[in-house]
Amino acid sequence: RMEARPAAQGRRGTGLVALLAMLLPVCCRAVPEPIRYSIPEELGRGSLVGPLTKDLGLSPAELPARKLRIVSGDEKQYFTLGEDNANLRVNERIDRESICGAVSPCVLNFEAVVENPFNLFLVSVTIEDINDNAPQFDREFVPIEMIESTPPGARFLLGSGRDSDIGANSLQNYQLAPNPLFSLVVRESTDGTKQPELVLEKSLDREKQRNHHLVLTAVDGGDPVRSGTIQIKINVIDANDNTPVFTKELYKVRLLENLPEGSLAFQVKATDVDEGTNAEITYSFSDIANSAHTLFTLDSRTGDVKLTGPLDYEEEKHYEATVEGKDGGGLSTHAKVHIDILDVNDNAPALSLLPILNPIPEDSMPSTVVAVINVRDRDSGDNGEVTCNIDSDLPFKLERTSQNTYKLIIASALDREKDTAYNVTITAKDRGSPSLSSRATLVLEVSDVNDNAPVFEEASYSACVSENNAVGKALVRVQARDPDAGANGRVSYWLAGGSEGAAPLVSVDARSGAVYAQRSLDYEQCREFSVAVRAQDGGQPARSSTATVRVFVLDVNDNAPRVLWPAAAAAAGEVPAPAPFEVVPRSAEAGYLVAKVVAVDADAGRNAWLSYELVQAAEPALFRMGLHSGEVRTARAVSERDAAKQRLVAVVKDHGQPALSATATLQVVLAESLQEALPELSERAAGAEAAAELQFYLVLALALLSALFVLSVALAVAARLRGAGPPAVLRCLGAQRFSVTGTAFPADFCEGTLPYSYNLCVAPGRAVTDATWLPPLLPSLAA
């Protein structure tokens, strides 16, 4: 069986090569002719077969890039590339007989694969036979029983010799040692085998010699000649003049390889016209190979041949045997048996995978070869015809390059961000009935290419920070994601501009994307600003995107109210300014507008909401102050008992947390007329300024008053002369100097922190109840 199996493989390989030669021009495009070599068998490992790279047209310079490889579907790798990667050499000892048996020529086929660009070449190596096997027989001796009455000319079949070599090296002839009673005849059968037969030349005489010993020699045609011998032992018995006769000279049997053990394979039958023991026939195998002897057993009584072992079409397709029928008198006859094994689809296809490109760059073009698949099926006919396919939802497809070889190529664009790897299952299925299949899985990884820019989680970010923040305070953290891998997906952050003057205010951490304040912010100087942050990956070339960060500065109550009127106190080291001086007639009623404190606050919101309150007054019950307007009015009518000079201290507070405040001081003089107030003014000015300055201002005040008085008299006289009534400028001195409908305010009045615009007409002896107020002129005159 071990010898027959390689022979079957060789015959099948020869048939596949012939079929491939016929189909390649029809199915394939531009398939090159096979590269052929011829070597003798039994060469040692490393022996040179041929200059493969030269015959492929490859130069030594391009060998590293082309990556020449050998793809063989056989279980053994008989050939390999040498250390120079240029010459084809023997990988292990090749025994032609174990590979091809009796098949001639013995051809080993394989494929040579090169890359960049991909190409596949067929290589054919013919193994030439050498005379390394001597003829041999299956047995050491042949026993022959001859009846003494056997007539001369009778022939006796002898055991055939076997020689594993082929051609001239195979068994060529038989020789018999010289003997006067016997001669040798070699008969050639229809299948070409030579069968030796022993011929009786003279009658035997059992009484003279009961046993004869002969030597049969089988010789081949090699150089030197090899031979093998077998002993022939002849036993002479008494006469039995009829030999058995088989029903057929040649039994042809066809058996399925899946026939169960113990089944009846076939039956032989012989008859003998003698009677008694001379007609009792026993059956035996006279010539059968060891591989067949272990599979078949012959019932010596009935001639039934049963199966005693498993049949395998792939190991042995044909068996031959010779059956001997011998009667009780010692006469025998022989019949040839030819047993053909029929193939059954009992072998699934075998797959071998050769990855070419793994991992695969995701920007690889379609039709790029990623793997070579070799498929073999040991069955024959439709049972050994195999097709391969893969799942249709994968971005790959199979293309057939030869009868047993496929290439796996890219069918559509790859995207590592969607699929990082593919499990490609190749299914090989034969055309047997029932069909058999096998699968092999190839894991293909996809390598990353920088084809994605970072994407921010938000298009714009907002951050709120209170003013007077600490330097280095984290405002917001931007985050961008890049689906690429490695350096292509490693994101760093940079400032990429923004609103005017915003760049020095913040910085961004390149790794985390955290935005930090570079300095303390002031709401009063900058209430909001924006910066652009760029996210950039580490690919080559790099990809980037930007996002806007808007920073809103929140107000903190860090500004105290500032008093615009009356003037604030002088700073340290400066000459203090005198407190404003207000004149209130003693005839003033409750609600008389004395003055208005005007203040502003640089903060915003509640931090800029101001409230006013009197905190110090000589007569607390005489004056009141508007909580939100800052107006100081009389709380009751002025009496004679009230002191002529009143000092009022008002505090202005905002609504921040904590609240900040400022104070304002008012000097009020109670007098019916300007003349009565002058002493108070003079006294106040004397205490505040030098004597020379006081005299200057007094003279100036008297001059202004005199001029006003003369102008008023002149206008009054002119008006009377014309009879048109008093002029408009003097109407404020009449009975209706003020509106009787209530307090009057100008159109631009706004209760709050902004100063008023005042107009005032004053007449001696009359109280002012409601008026729109202007900071009085008298303090200036007094100053």
Side-chain angles (χ1 to χ4, degrees):
R1 295 173 58 188
M2 296 302 293
E3 295 175 355
R5 178 181 177 182
Q9 290 179 345
R11 289 194 295 272
R12 184 174 66 255
T14 304
L16 291 178
V17 171
L19 180 60
L20 178 62
M22 292 187 292
L23 292 180
L24 280 178
V26 179
C27 302
C28 303
R29 297 178 299 170
V31 176
E33 286 292 325
I35 298 173
R36 303 181 186 278
Y37 299 102
S38 178
I39 60 172
E41 64 174 328
E42 303 296 334
L43 287 180
R45 178 183 177 90
S47 299
L48 177 65
V49 177
L52 180 59
T53 56
K54 180 180 178 181
D55 294 337
L56 292 177
L58 302 178
S59 65
E62 62 180 335
L63 280 180
R66 297 301 298 273
K67 297 180 181 178
L68 176 62
R69 278 177 283 180
I70 292 176
V71 180
S72 176
D74 295 327
E75 298 176 355
K76 292 184 179 181
Q77 186 76 24
Y78 292 105
F79 304 98
T80 185
L81 292 173
E83 295 180 356
D84 55 358
N85 210 29
N87 294 318
L88 184 65
R89 296 183 180 276
V90 176
N91 188 43
E92 64 180 51
R93 186 183 69 85
I94 299 175
D95 185 4
R96 191 206 64 80
E97 286 75 22
S98 64
I99 297 174
C100 298
V103 176
S104 178
C106 180
V107 181
L108 296 179
N109 297 300
F110 58 92
E111 290 88 13
V113 178
V114 294
E115 301 177 28
N116 304 317
F118 175 84
N119 207 342
L120 187 144
F121 300 89
L122 300 179
V123 182
S124 175
V125 180
T126 302
I127 310 301
E128 298 177 350
D129 181 61
I130 64 173
N131 192 23
D132 57 338
N133 293 282
Q136 57 183 355
F137 295 89
D138 297 330
R139 294 175 291 177
E140 294 181 359
F141 63 92
V142 178
I144 299 177
E145 292 182 351
M146 295 186 183
I147 302 175
E148 61 180 346
S149 61
T150 302
R155 297 188 179 191
F156 301 88
L157 186 66
L158 301 177
S160 299
R162 301 182 186 277
D163 193 337
S164 299
D165 295 326
I166 61 174
N169 296 326
S170 65
L171 191 152
Q172 299 295 321
N173 204 358
Y174 294 92
Q175 299 173 358
L176 183 67
N179 189 287
L181 297 177
F182 302 95
S183 64
L184 182 67
V185 174
V186 179
R187 185 180 64 181
E188 187 171 354
S189 62
T190 57
D191 58 358
T193 60
K194 296 181 179 181
Q195 183 68 45
E197 293 180 351
L198 185 65
V199 180
L200 181 62
E201 296 290 338
K202 297 180 180 181
S203 299
L204 299 175
D205 188 357
R206 179 179 175 274
E207 286 69 27
K208 289 183 179 180
Q209 187 175 354
R210 300 183 57 179
N211 296 298
H212 301 271
H213 297 277
L214 305 175
V215 176
L216 178 65
T217 303
V219 294
D220 61 20
D223 185 15
V225 176
R226 292 177 178 267
S227 63
T229 60
I230 187 172
Q231 298 287 328
I232 301 175
K233 296 182 179 181
I234 302 173
N235 185 24
V236 181
I237 59 175
D238 286 338
N240 178 23
D241 55 353
N242 291 290
T243 59
V245 177
F246 279 100
T247 57
K248 296 179 181 179
E249 291 186 5
L250 176 62
Y251 289 88
K252 293 184 177 181
V253 181
R254 303 178 72 187
L255 302 176
L256 291 174
E257 63 174 325
N258 61 351
L259 188 69
E261 295 182 25
S263 301
L264 177 64
F266 60 94
Q267 184 186 44
V268 294
K269 187 68 174 176
T271 59
D272 195 322
V273 296
D274 292 328
E275 293 181 354
T277 58
N278 292 330
E280 294 179 359
I281 301 173
T282 58
Y283 302 93
S284 64
F285 287 120
S286 63
D287 186 11
I288 187 170
N290 289 332
S291 58
H293 195 273
T294 58
L295 296 176
F296 302 99
T297 180
L298 175 60
D299 190 316
S300 61
R301 303 293 299 174
T302 63
D304 293 339
V305 178
K306 293 185 178 181
L307 190 65
T308 58
L311 299 177
D312 192 345
Y313 173 85
E314 288 70 43
E315 291 187 1
E316 191 67 51
K317 299 177 176 61
H318 181 77
Y319 296 95
E320 290 185 357
T322 301
V323 179
E324 181 184 54
K326 183 183 293 185
D327 61 19
L331 295 179
S332 64
T333 186
H334 298 81
K336 296 280 288 186
V337 179
H338 288 183
I339 304 173
D340 292 323
I341 308 300
L342 304 180
D343 183 48
V344 174
N345 192 25
D346 58 347
N347 290 281
L351 289 167
S352 60
L353 308 178
L354 175 63
I356 300 297
L357 187 62
N358 194 13
I360 309 169
E362 63 176 322
D363 60 349
S364 297
M365 297 298 294
S367 76
T368 301
V369 179
V370 298
V372 174
I373 297 97
N374 189 273
V375 59
R376 301 284 182 183
D377 195 318
R378 298 176 61 196
D379 295 320
S380 62
D382 289 345
N383 297 333
E385 204 169 304
V386 181
T387 57
C388 292
N389 59 76
I390 62 174
D391 295 337
S392 60
D393 58 347
L394 295 175
F396 303 96
K397 67 178 181 179
L398 285 175
E399 283 190 2
R400 195 165 196 160
T401 59
S402 65
Q403 185 177 4
N404 297 321
T405 306
Y406 291 80
K407 60 182 179 181
L408 181 67
I409 65 174
I410 299 174
S412 59
L414 305 178
D415 189 353
R416 190 205 64 84
E417 287 67 45
K418 291 183 179 179
D419 296 290
T420 59
Y422 294 92
N423 291 329
V424 181
T425 300
I426 298 98
T427 303
K429 186 176 183 180
D430 60 30
R431 294 181 59 187
S433 181
S435 177
L436 297 179
S437 62
S438 60
R439 293 184 176 184
T441 300
L442 181 63
V443 179
L444 298 176
E445 297 181 355
V446 182
S447 60
D448 185 56
V449 174
N450 191 24
D451 56 348
N452 291 279
V455 178
F456 282 95
E457 293 179 347
E458 302 177 24
S460 62
Y461 294 80
S462 298
C464 296
V465 58
S466 299
E467 63 175 328
N468 304 325
N469 58 284
V471 176
K473 177 181 177 60
L475 304 181
V476 69
R477 184 169 182 256
V478 299
Q479 185 74 31
R481 302 188 182 277
D482 194 320
D484 292 324
N488 296 332
R490 190 179 302 118
V491 180
S492 56
Y493 303 90
W494 312 90
L495 287 179
S499 55
E500 184 177 356
L505 299 180
V506 296
S507 63
V508 61
D509 187 88
R511 284 176 170 266
S512 65
V515 179
Y516 298 97
Q518 286 289 90
R519 61 184 63 182
S520 181
L521 303 176
D522 189 352
Y523 173 82
E524 287 72 38
Q525 294 182 2
C526 178
R527 298 191 177 188
E528 73 172 271
F529 60 90
S530 63
V531 294
V533 178
R534 176 186 291 115
Q536 180 174 301
D537 59 29
Q540 293 294 332
R543 293 178 177 265
S544 64
S545 60
T546 58
T548 302
V549 178
R550 297 187 64 187
V551 179
F552 297 91
V553 183
L554 304 180
D555 184 53
V556 174
N557 193 27
D558 58 346
N559 290 282
R562 183 166 64 90
V563 178
L564 301 179
W565 179 264
E574 297 180 359
V575 178
F581 195 83
E582 308 292 344
V583 178
V584 177
R586 284 191 175 275
S587 58
E589 299 295 332
Y592 180 85
L593 180 61
V594 178
K596 178 178 176 62
V597 176
V598 180
V600 293
D601 195 315
D603 295 322
R606 292 182 58 86
N607 297 330
W609 295 356
L610 302 181
S611 60
Y612 303 84
E613 183 183 358
L614 284 176
V615 295
Q616 183 178 347
E619 294 291 342
L622 180 57
F623 301 99
R624 63 180 174 83
M625 191 171 196
L627 180 63
H628 301 295
S629 64
E631 294 179 347
V632 179
R633 295 178 180 271
T634 57
R636 58 177 174 79
V638 179
S639 66
E640 295 296 333
R641 294 188 301 274
D642 293 328
K645 293 178 61 176
Q646 299 285 336
R647 183 174 181 274
L648 305 179
V649 178
V651 63
V652 183
K653 294 191 298 182
D654 57 29
H655 284 70
Q657 293 294 334
L660 300 178
S661 62
T663 59
T665 303
L666 295 172
Q667 298 291 343
V668 179
V669 176
L670 301 178
E672 281 296 331
S673 63
L674 184 61
Q675 289 79 6
E676 291 183 14
L678 287 176
E680 296 296 335
L681 293 173
S682 301
E683 181 180 350
R684 179 170 177 270
E689 299 177 355
E693 293 178 349
L694 179 60
Q695 291 176 359
F696 172 79
Y697 288 116
L698 286 175
V699 172
L700 180 59
L702 289 175
L704 290 175
L705 289 174
S706 300
L708 290 173
F709 178 76
V710 172
L711 180 59
S712 298
V713 172
L715 292 174
V717 172
R720 287 185 180 276
L721 291 176
R722 292 182 181 181
V729 72
L730 295 179
R731 290 176 186 172
C732 61
L733 300 177
Q736 294 293 332
R737 290 182 294 272
F738 306 102
S739 172
V740 296
T741 60
T743 306
F745 297 95
D748 60 351
F749 171 77
C750 177
E751 181 175 346
T753 62
L754 297 179
Y756 280 81
S757 175
Y758 297 97
N759 293 313
L760 176 64
C761 296
V762 180
R766 301 300 297 267
V768 179
T769 58
D770 294 301
T772 54
W773 193 258
L774 178 69
L777 179 62
L778 291 179
S780 300
L781 296 176

